[in-house]
């Protein structure tokens, strides 16, 4: 039987427990998840694409997950990977408008693309990479929000270690 594969695109700057939760949930539906890290310096990420990939690989060890970068349009990347399903995590209603816009634009560009929204656990409804970075920068506790390898990298980045 053909494997069910989905692409989970994002900035992952850095990966949080919210993202890990979405990956775990997606693996209940799909045989394999490709985590596609946007390599776009215009977004001025804190971590380079290589650093973000390294952290994700560390965190998803043992799971049927592939991690790689992409640049340009997501729909073009999907064609290259010969997959049709995009996974996006949904937290509060505030995510909806932007997600709805992206899913609609992707569908407009390629009618074969389907976007599936996976709800994150309520524990992570308020969590974002931005929040984790802000806390880490100010020396706040981040262990509840990001896996240990990410926490260590954040501390190094902000000179807290
Ligand atoms: O984690 P993010 O920053 O919310 O992820 C956004 C991402 C990477 C999924 C989105 O910006 C994207 O797909 N960028 C690639 C360019 C593209 O295809 N744009 C058209 C759809 S908005």
């Amino acid at each position: 039987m053909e494997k069910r594969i989905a692409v989970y695109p994002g900035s992952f700057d850095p990966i949080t427990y919210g993202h890990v939760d979405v990956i775990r949930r997606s693996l209940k539906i799909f045989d394999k998840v490709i985590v596609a890290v946007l390599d776009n310096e215009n977004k001025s990420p804190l971590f380079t694409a290589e650093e973000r990939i390294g952290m994700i690989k560390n965190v998803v060890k043992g799971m049927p997950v592939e991690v790689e970068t992409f640049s340009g349009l997501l729909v073009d990347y999907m064609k290259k990977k010969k997959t049709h399903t995009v996974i996006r995590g949904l937290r509060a209603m505030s995510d909806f408008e932007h997600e709805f816009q992206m899913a609609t634009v992707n569908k407009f560009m390629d009618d074969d693309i389907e976007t599936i929204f996976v709800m994150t656990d309520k524990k992570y409804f308020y969590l974002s990479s931005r929040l984790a970075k802000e806390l880490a920068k100010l020396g706040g506790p981040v262990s509840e929000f990001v896996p240990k390898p990410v926490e260590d990298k954040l501390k190094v980045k902000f000179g807290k270690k």
Side-chain angles (χ1 to χ4, degrees), residues 2-10 12 22-37 64-68 74 77-79 81-89 112-118:
E2 206 173 303
K3 281 200 164 180
R4 291 164 304 172
I5 300 173
V7 170
Y8 180 26
F12 303 100
V22 169
I23 294 170
R24 287 222 170 89
R25 287 168 184 241
S26 304
L27 285 171
K28 290 182 182 166
I29 312 169
F30 296 94
D31 300 308
K32 186 171 116 180
V33 170
I34 301 173
V35 176
V37 178
V65 173
E66 201 180 292
V67 190
E68 56 181 40
L74 177 64
Y77 174 76
M78 302 286 294
K79 269 193 203 113
K81 300 303 285 184
K82 297 187 170 58
T83 51
H84 307 277
T85 316
V86 176
I87 301 272
R88 290 288 289 170
D112 280 341
I113 300 287
E114 297 300 340
T115 302
I116 296 202
F117 295 103
V118 175

Side-chain angles (χ1 to χ4, degrees), residues 38-85:
L38 181 70
D39 189 2
N40 179 358
E41 292 304 322
N42 293 341
K43 278 204 170 185
S44 310
L46 175 66
F47 293 101
T48 65
E50 288 69 33
E51 287 175 314
R52 284 177 275 155
I53 289 212
M55 284 183 274
I56 300 169
K57 283 191 173 161
N58 212 331
V59 168
V60 301
K61 236 179 252 161
M63 299 184 201
V65 173
E66 201 180 292
V67 190
E68 56 181 40
T69 51
F70 82 103
S71 53
L73 287 176
L74 177 64
V75 290
D76 291 338
Y77 174 76
M78 302 286 294
K79 269 193 203 113
K80 212 173 75 192
K81 300 303 285 184
K82 297 187 170 58
T83 51
H84 307 277
T85 316

Side-chain angles (χ1 to χ4, degrees), residues 131-160:
L131 184 87
K133 282 183 281 195
E134 195 168 316
L135 275 181
K137 190 174 176 182
L138 300 171
V142 284
S143 57
E144 299 280 310
F145 309 129
V146 297
K148 185 76 172 75
V150 179
E151 183 184 351
D152 291 345
K153 286 264 183 205
L154 278 169
K155 283 187 177 156
V156 170
K157 214 39 141 188
F158 291 119
K160 304 281 179 198

